[in-house]
Amino acid sequence: MRDYDEVTAFLGEWGPFQRLIFFLLSASIIPNGFNSMSIVFLAGIPEHHCRVPTSANLSSEWRNYTIPRQMQDDREVPRKCQRYQLAALTNFSAQGLVPGRDVNLSQVELEPCLDGWEYSQDTYLSTIITETGLVPGANSEPRACRDDPSLVIWGQGGIISLSKILSDLILEQFPDKQWNIVCDESWKPPLTTSLFFVGVLMGSFISGQLSDRFGRKNILFGTMAVQTGFSFLQIFSINWEMFTVLFVIVGMGQISNYVVAFILGTEILGKSVRIIFSTLGVCIFFAIGYMLLPLFAYFIRDWRMLLLALTMPGVLCVPLWWFIPESPRWLISQGRFGEAEDIIQKAAKMNKVTAPVTVFDPSELQELTPLEQQKGYILDLFRTGHIAIITIMSLMLWMLVSVGYFGLSLNTPNLHGDVYLNCFLSAAIEVPAYVIAWLLLRNLPRRYIIAGTLFLGGGVLLFIQLVPTEYHFLSIALVMLGKFGITSAFSMLYVFTAELYPTLVRNMAVGATSMSSRVGSIIAPYFVYLGAYDRILPYILMGSLTVLIGIVTLLFPESLGMALPETFEQMQKIKGFRSKKKTRNSTGGEKNPKVFITAF
């Protein structure tokens, strides 16, 4: 009896058919790259301060003193959430008093921004933060910008047209819907990001089950449609609540598309190619999508138009339906041998090789689910003391590495310098990180290279607090180096976790630890939020946790050169060298430097 790989070996490993599948499935990952981090620009927070209405009876001199000042990053800036009591200033102005000479401003009471905010347009044209309604009975100009041309939300350099028309139509229909997600509402942006990752968590649960039930190809394009369609609907959001609910659904489609594309590629491609696809193809094309995000955002600085632009690549993926086939493995598992045979015959024709008259003979093909007589349960991950310790440490490792990765990715707007350049650098640094991780995994001990990259990432983040504030470029370089280390470690976790667990629960272990990483991504936005109180605090926390989990990683058993465990008895102990000899002599195992994962 022969298995699937033996039956299809005549196709070769890297013919035109495999190259087409490799690049088309990798390209389908690109929209995931910019959708996963789009909130960085959609919810960008520009400089802002309280608005003073033109109707206020203030002299020009007093109008310049309506906003108290504060120190921020060694420079004096207007306060964001308070102004001097307008009634008192009006009285002083009427009496002809001079601010600072006749009136001690420190003695004047403060009040909140009762008339809204004015937002700087230096970085963003508009974001969900600055979205405002119309003042009843006023003209159609947004109230946040009526008084100061330099702070106008609409129309920098003549770019008004569609964006202004769309927003005006929405705001005219819902004039009382004022977003202004600042000050007392500042808790909403991190919650929006966290809920997006809640959607990612839910999508992780259902994507594998749906693709097992309805087929890889159907769910791949179905989840593409969900991601693209609901991103498009977000353009018409009338309030924060609507935007956030739609964003959760986008998160569900985003991860489902990613996972199913991963599974489809690894089931179609041969053994040697699927390793490169799963470690480099998917990851690097994700990084390419991530790098495209700041380029889109730089030229399109209105959040509604940016969302529209980000949905376009999803539409361009529609023609891929006619080029990407269903997984022959899945078709065989459903007993649809004829359809699977047609796909392989077409692949043989494309590769210019001769296919057997009958490729799949049900009587010769081994069962694709060899462990169906045995079932693993989630409690098996805790069945003995040492297995439970490995599982708990794995859950911690995945969660804290995820906190570091997403925390650094989402924190780019808080770095000094240009937000678009910083975001691009944060994305670009992932490409060498993935390549280095792949090279390290080929020959070096797993726990040492993972711990080493974590020590590198966490150590440089802790060092940031020692850098003088005027050395901005050094701080940015350290952040990028920290991102490099954490990204490298993150990309190695799938292989390392798979090598630790026996076949019966291997996919379950990878799935459970991957879920733990989703929890890390859900709490990561609140690490970024702490930067509003202290710019260095997020780096201290993320750096400390990263170094801590790097130390814990050294306690794992080593898996390099060990046979993949088939049973729980063959699992490495916490001190891996103690059972090293027994595991090497186990039979039926496959040497693990080429471990392949199909579950998230």
Side-chain angles (χ1 to χ4, degrees):
M1 299 179 69
R2 299 182 297 165
D3 63 16
Y4 177 88
D5 289 321
E6 290 178 304
V7 171
T8 58
F10 67 89
L11 288 176
E13 290 284 326
W14 191 237
F17 174 75
Q18 288 89 348
R19 290 195 292 269
L20 179 68
I21 297 302
F22 184 101
F23 288 108
L24 290 185
L25 286 176
S26 297
S28 73
I29 300 296
I30 291 177
N32 298 72
F34 46 69
N35 279 319
S36 63
M37 299 299 173
S38 62
I39 195 66
V40 169
F41 298 105
L42 297 178
I45 304 176
E47 292 293 330
H48 56 277
H49 57 78
C50 294
R51 175 180 177 269
V52 178
T54 54
S55 58
N57 190 17
L58 294 172
S59 65
S60 58
E61 188 174 25
W62 274 103
R63 187 170 289 276
N64 292 332
Y65 283 88
T66 53
I67 310 298
R69 314 286 289 186
Q70 65 180 12
M71 296 301 297
Q72 176 180 302
D73 296 333
D74 297 327
R75 61 191 181 96
E76 194 177 59
V77 297
R79 286 197 184 182
K80 294 176 170 46
C81 303
Q82 291 178 311
R83 69 184 183 189
Y84 290 118
Q85 195 174 70
L86 206 56
L89 298 189
T90 302
N91 186 38
F92 296 148
S93 178
Q95 297 178 34
L97 302 179
V98 177
R101 188 192 69 183
D102 302 324
V103 178
N104 185 355
L105 293 175
S106 63
Q107 303 296 320
V108 180
E109 293 187 11
L110 302 177
E111 63 183 7
C113 300
L114 302 178
D115 297 286
W117 289 262
E118 293 181 349
Y119 299 98
S120 171
Q121 197 188 0
D122 292 341
T123 304
Y124 309 105
L125 193 61
S126 72
T127 70
I128 66 169
I129 303 298
T130 67
E131 190 72 16
T132 60
L134 304 177
V135 178
N139 59 42
S140 61
E141 183 183 9
R143 76 169 183 177
C145 56
R146 186 175 298 115
D147 301 321
D148 189 347
S150 67
L151 296 169
V152 174
I153 288 182
W154 312 118
Q156 178 175 327
I159 305 176
I160 308 174
S161 59
L162 183 59
S163 170
K164 185 179 188 303
I165 293 171
L166 179 60
S167 293
D168 281 354
L169 286 174
I170 293 173
L171 294 175
E172 285 172 4
Q173 295 296 319
F174 305 95
D176 58 334
K177 301 298 182 182
Q178 303 170 12
W179 297 29
N180 284 329
I181 310 176
V182 291
C183 298
D184 291 341
E185 304 286 318
S186 61
W187 55 271
K188 289 182 176 180
L191 179 60
T192 301
T193 309
S194 291
L195 289 176
F196 170 81
F197 288 113
V198 169
V200 170
L201 177 61
M202 293 188 293
S204 300
F205 275 116
I206 65 174
S207 57
Q209 300 176 47
L210 290 175
S211 65
D212 287 341
R213 177 77 179 274
F214 300 104
R216 316 311 195 201
K217 181 178 178 179
N218 291 332
I219 300 305
L220 172 66
F221 285 92
T223 52
M224 280 186 189
V226 169
Q227 181 179 207
T228 302
F230 282 89
S231 291
F232 181 75
L233 290 178
Q234 280 184 291
I235 298 172
F236 304 96
S237 298
I238 63 172
N239 52 33
W240 171 78
E241 290 80 6
M242 178 179 174
F243 178 90
T244 302
V245 170
L246 293 173
F247 207 33
V248 172
I249 302 175
V250 171
M252 293 176 63
Q254 187 262 353
I255 189 62
S256 299
N257 172 28
Y258 187 96
V259 171
V260 177
F262 186 96
I263 294 174
L264 181 57
T266 51
E267 289 183 347
I268 293 179
L269 299 172
K271 286 183 179 179
S272 61
V273 178
R274 70 174 67 136
I275 297 165
I276 301 176
F277 173 77
S278 59
T279 55
L280 292 182
V282 169
C283 294
I284 289 181
F285 276 80
F286 178 90
I288 291 173
Y290 187 4
M291 286 188 282
L292 289 175
L293 172 64
L295 297 179
F296 275 99
Y298 179 80
F299 292 103
I300 307 173
R301 303 201 178 192
D302 172 81
W303 73 271
R304 295 185 193 271
M305 293 301 99
L306 177 59
L307 265 177
L308 180 61
L310 295 181
T311 61
M312 289 300 102
V315 176
L316 296 178
C317 288
V318 172
L320 299 184
W321 173 271
W322 288 274
F323 296 94
I324 297 176
E326 180 55 270
S327 166
R329 290 177 183 264
W330 180 82
L331 291 171
I332 293 171
S333 71
Q334 303 297 306
R336 295 158 63 176
F337 290 92
E339 295 175 59
E341 180 118 6
D342 290 340
I343 293 172
I344 298 302
Q345 293 287 355
K346 291 178 181 177
K349 184 177 180 180
M350 185 178 296
N351 285 356
K352 298 180 180 180
V353 297
T354 303
V357 177
T358 301
V359 178
F360 299 117
D361 185 347
S363 64
E364 293 185 1
L365 202 62
Q366 287 183 348
E367 179 61 55
L368 294 182
T369 55
L371 291 174
E372 66 178 358
Q373 301 302 321
Q374 293 180 285
K375 292 184 179 180
Y377 299 94
I378 190 69
L379 292 180
D380 287 332
L381 300 178
F382 304 90
R383 66 185 300 170
T384 67
H386 84 273
I387 295 175
I389 292 175
I390 289 176
T391 299
I392 293 171
M393 291 196 304
S394 297
L395 294 173
M396 290 176 53
L397 175 62
W398 281 73
M399 183 177 70
L400 294 183
V401 172
S402 179
V403 168
Y405 173 81
F406 287 102
L408 291 176
S409 299
L410 297 171
N411 196 51
T412 50
N414 296 329
L415 297 175
H416 288 286
D418 186 85
V419 61
Y420 303 98
L421 177 60
N422 291 337
C423 183
F424 179 82
L425 293 175
S426 179
I429 199 66
E430 294 193 8
V431 175
Y434 293 134
V435 174
I436 292 297
W438 177 66
L439 294 174
L440 292 176
L441 280 172
R442 292 168 64 90
N443 299 303
L444 297 179
R446 298 348 187 182
R447 58 176 177 168
Y448 292 126
I449 57 177
I450 293 176
T453 52
L454 290 175
F455 289 148
L456 170 66
V460 296
L461 293 181
L462 290 174
F463 188 72
I464 291 175
Q465 60 185 311
L466 304 178
V467 178
T469 54
E470 61 270 20
Y471 291 95
H472 303 321
F473 291 104
L474 179 57
S475 296
I476 294 174
L478 291 176
V479 171
M480 297 308 161
L481 186 58
K483 177 77 180 294
F484 171 86
I486 292 175
T487 301
S488 295
F490 207 173
S491 65
M492 293 187 278
L493 294 187
Y494 285 99
V495 171
F496 183 52
T497 302
E499 292 175 349
L500 294 176
Y501 287 90
T503 304
L504 184 64
V505 294
R506 185 171 295 126
N507 277 358
M508 185 183 300
V510 174
T513 51
S514 182
M515 294 304 146
S516 178
S517 78
R518 308 303 173 205
V519 175
S521 65
I522 290 170
I523 63 177
Y526 291 96
F527 281 76
V528 179
Y529 184 59
L530 293 174
Y533 301 94
D534 189 324
R535 187 179 63 86
I536 300 298
L537 184 57
Y539 300 118
I540 295 176
L541 292 176
M542 288 187 288
S544 300
L545 292 174
T546 302
V547 171
L548 173 63
I549 202 60
I551 296 173
V552 172
T553 303
L554 294 174
L555 303 178
F556 278 96
E558 184 50 65
S559 62
L560 178 67
M562 302 296 107
L564 285 177
E566 297 291 344
T567 66
F568 287 102
E569 290 72 22
Q570 294 174 2
M571 280 187 67
Q572 299 293 321
K573 306 299 181 184
I574 297 300
K575 297 294 183 180
F577 62 89
R578 291 182 179 177
S579 56
K580 182 175 181 180
K581 182 176 180 180
K582 176 180 178 181
T583 307
R584 279 188 181 275
N585 294 334
S586 61
T587 59
E590 178 187 352
K591 293 300 182 180
N592 64 11
K594 294 185 178 180
V595 165
F596 161 61
I597 309 304
T598 59
F600 279 67

